[in-house]
Amino acid sequence: MENGFTDSKVFGVDEAGRGPLAGPLSFCILHIPTPLLTKIHSGEFLVGLDDSKKLTENKREELFLEINNSEIEYLHGFLTNRFIDKFGLANSIFLLVKKLHQRLKEKNFLLIDGNYRFEPYFSKYKYRFSYQSIIKGDSRVASIACASIIAKVKRDRYMKLISTKFPEYGFHKHKGYGTKEHRKKIDLFGLSSLHRKSFSIEKERSLFED
């Protein structure tokens, strides 16, 4: 699919951390050069590449290092919990994609994992880009799968690091997701400065659907 837009440079796009109760959202825009894409499809490079959620932590780390040691290029960004609380998740995601997209020099086309609908935000923010949403794209498109790994590993590493500042919440274990253990910690200690205080994914249907 990456080779289907011959007049544009194709970038896979994915995120990690859309639904947690705490921590940032991690976003990645990534391009795979054609020679490396050919090697991926022939099983010579990034063996076992898949949606980051389907991989073990060790496999994600292995592929993360392979990606970073190759000619694959990517842009990455975090959205803080405070930014999400202030602007809402949907607006925040569009603003981050816009910020990363503005750094791309060539004519491009974005393949985005999920069911995003950016058209209302094109009008709202007077900025647009060419894209296609692909449901389960992180299992179907190599560049999206790579983007999912970059986004996931960078976010997990951050949550492990920040856990030393908030040891009572155990962020290194659940990465901010709403596990039973995490909710018990919130009941016991209240919300930290890392928690999304006004976040509700149910309010964000204008941009995407699960």
Side-chain angles (χ1 to χ4, degrees):
M1 184 172 289
E2 281 103 328
N3 293 324
F5 304 92
T6 55
D7 61 337
S8 298
K9 193 170 184 177
V10 178
F11 289 79
V13 184
D14 203 4
E15 49 74 23
R18 197 177 73 183
L21 305 178
L25 183 140
S26 179
F27 227 88
C28 181
I29 293 179
L30 181 146
H31 170 74
I32 303 175
T34 299
L36 288 184
L37 190 60
T38 300
K39 287 185 176 181
I40 291 173
H41 290 159
S42 66
E44 300 174 62
F45 178 58
L46 296 180
V47 177
L49 179 66
D50 203 342
D51 170 11
S52 63
K53 295 186 292 297
K54 297 179 180 178
L55 303 174
T56 65
E57 182 176 357
N58 286 340
K59 185 61 177 180
R60 284 196 299 268
E61 288 283 349
E62 175 189 320
L63 293 172
F64 178 86
L65 291 176
E66 285 191 64
I67 292 168
N68 278 280
N69 289 327
S70 74
E71 295 180 356
I72 290 175
E73 58 184 280
Y74 66 84
L75 300 173
H76 174 268
F78 280 127
L79 281 177
T80 68
N81 57 299
R82 291 179 179 177
F83 195 94
I84 292 170
D85 280 339
K86 182 176 181 179
F87 295 100
L89 184 63
N91 279 301
S92 297
I93 287 175
F94 181 83
L95 291 172
L96 180 55
V97 175
K98 174 177 177 288
K99 180 179 179 180
L100 294 176
H101 185 264
Q102 287 174 325
R103 294 167 56 187
L104 301 179
K105 306 297 184 184
E106 313 90 335
K107 183 179 180 182
N108 55 77
F109 192 93
L110 306 184
L111 299 176
I112 305 179
D113 180 56
N115 193 25
Y116 285 92
R117 300 185 298 273
F118 286 112
E119 282 70 20
Y121 298 88
F122 292 160
S123 300
K124 181 176 180 179
Y125 291 103
K126 310 301 180 186
Y127 186 88
R128 68 172 46 248
F129 44 79
S130 298
Y131 80 101
Q132 179 180 339
S133 293
I134 303 176
I135 296 174
K136 299 188 184 302
D138 44 11
S139 295
R140 299 167 57 193
V141 180
S143 59
I144 297 178
C146 287
S148 77
I149 288 169
I150 296 296
K152 174 66 173 169
V153 171
K154 282 184 174 289
R155 187 180 189 279
D156 283 357
R157 288 181 175 183
Y158 174 82
M159 294 305 291
K160 289 179 181 179
L161 180 64
I162 203 68
S163 185
T164 61
K165 185 178 179 181
F166 302 94
E168 65 273 24
Y169 292 97
F171 290 135
H172 62 290
K173 296 180 181 179
H174 51 68
K175 311 302 189 298
Y177 285 88
T179 64
K180 184 176 181 180
E181 177 187 1
H182 186 189
R183 293 180 185 277
K184 285 183 178 179
K185 298 293 186 180
I186 292 174
D187 290 340
L188 186 60
F189 299 108
L191 296 176
S192 72
S193 59
L194 200 65
H195 282 89
R196 303 176 187 181
K197 297 178 174 60
S198 63
F199 172 71
S200 171
I201 202 166
E202 294 301 324
K203 299 177 181 178
E204 305 292 347
R205 295 303 180 190
S206 61
L207 181 62
F208 52 74
E209 293 180 353
D210 286 323

